[in-house]
């Protein structure tokens, strides 16, 4: 099955509202990365996390390695936040970085 | 800052053809990766390399070869293109290992006729 599962798979938000995306791991992840793939296909680094939290503007991410999950919170969603959000984590004891299934976000005016 | 350059941006091939995709990075990163992304789907790892001349298979290596000729470049060969091969191929690099941030190129879109 999927080693890194994201939820929800798709989401529509009104501009100005808040939301949370989740990433669950069935691998023993020690770090996690979050990316946004914009509608043109470019992958943009959002966060690289060890266990704990990080904040950057309207985005905040948390990673709990013991409970094997990570969250990405979006505050005051803007139209340019639309795209697909991926989390990724290294598979234990290898250099393989495994990507999640993605959350497709659409922000509506 | 640095950049990852993938060439070509678009690649059109015939079924059965051998096709090569190239990736260059000037970050001086040790580790480089090739991922495949089918339309509307996530990224799947094809090959990665932790140093020059090293090659490690990912989950999707069958039907592909890779070559890490030097630290800055990592090429991927589709050994015999198939119609279901149509996808975007993404190259990435990181400083040393998977426990570091990945940086991505803009991708090569492959179409097989």
């Amino acid at each position: 099955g999927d080693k890194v599962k994201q939820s929800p798979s798709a989401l529509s938000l009104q501009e100005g509202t808040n939301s949370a995306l989740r990433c669950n791991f069935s691998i023993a992840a020690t770090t996690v990365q979050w990316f946004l793939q914009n509608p043109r296909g470019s992958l943009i680094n959002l966060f690289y996390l060890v266990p704990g939290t990080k904040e950057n503007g309207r985005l905040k991410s948390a990673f709990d390695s013991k409970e094997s999950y990570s969250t990405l919170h979006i505050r005051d969603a803007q139209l340019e936040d639309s795209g697909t959000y991926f989390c990724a984590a290294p598979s234990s004891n290898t250099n393989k970085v495994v990507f999640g299934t993605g959350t497709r976000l659409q922000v509506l005016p | 800052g640095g950049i990852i350059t993938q060439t070509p941006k678009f690649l059109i091939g015939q079924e059965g053809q051998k096709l090569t995709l190239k990736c260059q990075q000037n970050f001086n990163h040790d580790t480089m990766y090739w991922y495949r992304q089918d339309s509307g789907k996530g990224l799947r790892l094809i090959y990665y390399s932790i140093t020059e001349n090293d090659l490690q298979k990912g989950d999707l290596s069958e039907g592909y070869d890779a070559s890490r000729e030097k630290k800055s470049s990592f090429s991927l060969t589709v050994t015999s293109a198939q119609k279901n091969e149509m996808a975007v191929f993404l190259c990435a690099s990181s400083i040393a290992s998977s426990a570091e941030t990945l940086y991505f190129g803009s991708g090569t879109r492959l179409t097989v006729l």
Side-chain angles (χ1 to χ4, degrees):
Chain A
D2 291 329
K3 296 175 183 174
V4 182
K5 192 144 189 180
Q6 290 184 242
S7 59
S9 56
L11 182 61
S12 288
L13 289 178
Q14 289 298 131
E15 207 173 0
T17 59
N18 305 331
S19 188
L21 313 182
R22 188 174 172 108
C23 184
N24 287 305
F25 307 104
S26 61
I27 52 177
T30 54
T31 61
V32 67
Q33 298 179 48
W34 282 92
F35 298 88
L36 166 62
Q37 188 167 39
N38 66 20
R40 285 187 346 200
S42 297
L43 276 154
I44 301 161
N45 297 71
L46 298 176
F47 291 104
Y48 168 78
L49 286 161
V50 294
T53 60
K54 273 192 181 176
E55 195 163 351
N56 184 6
R58 296 179 293 102
L59 301 180
K60 183 176 179 178
S61 184
F63 173 40
D64 185 332
S65 57
K66 287 182 186 162
E67 298 296 323
S68 297
Y69 76 92
S70 178
T71 55
L72 177 69
H73 293 262
I74 303 171
R75 178 174 53 82
D76 184 25
Q78 302 296 305
L79 297 176
E80 62 264 27
D81 295 333
S82 296
T84 304
Y85 289 80
F86 289 102
C87 61
S91 195
S92 20
N93 302 321
T94 74
N95 285 70
K96 287 187 189 181
V97 177
V98 180
F99 276 72
T101 46
T103 293
R104 187 170 294 186
L105 174 68
Q106 184 181 30
V107 180
L108 303 168
Chain B
I3 192 167
I4 296 183
T5 303
Q6 290 188 238
T7 54
K9 285 193 185 322
F10 300 94
L11 181 57
I12 300 174
Q14 300 288 332
E15 200 169 11
Q17 194 177 358
K18 185 175 176 178
L19 301 166
T20 298
L21 292 69
K22 293 189 181 294
C23 178
Q24 297 264 357
Q25 53 98 359
N26 63 1
F27 287 103
N28 199 33
H29 283 170
D30 288 315
T31 306
M32 295 185 75
Y33 306 81
W34 275 107
Y35 286 90
R36 170 178 162 159
Q37 187 176 29
D38 290 20
S39 181
K41 306 278 185 181
L43 281 71
R44 292 183 289 171
L45 183 63
I46 307 172
Y47 267 99
Y48 66 102
S49 166
I50 61 173
T51 190
E52 186 178 332
N53 294 319
D54 174 73
L55 288 175
Q56 311 275 344
K57 290 184 179 182
D59 299 320
L60 204 66
S61 59
E62 194 166 326
Y64 301 94
D65 285 328
S67 175
R68 184 87 183 271
E69 309 90 6
K70 47 187 180 178
K71 189 175 181 181
S72 61
S73 69
F74 192 32
S75 58
L76 180 73
T77 298
V78 180
T79 54
S80 176
Q82 304 298 315
K83 278 202 190 286
N84 63 5
E85 208 101 54
M86 293 191 286
V88 174
F89 291 82
L90 291 156
C91 175
S93 72
S94 64
I95 291 173
S97 72
S98 59
E100 303 289 341
T101 303
L102 259 64
Y103 295 90
F104 279 86
S106 54
T108 292
R109 185 175 294 273
L110 174 64
T111 302
V112 182
L113 302 174

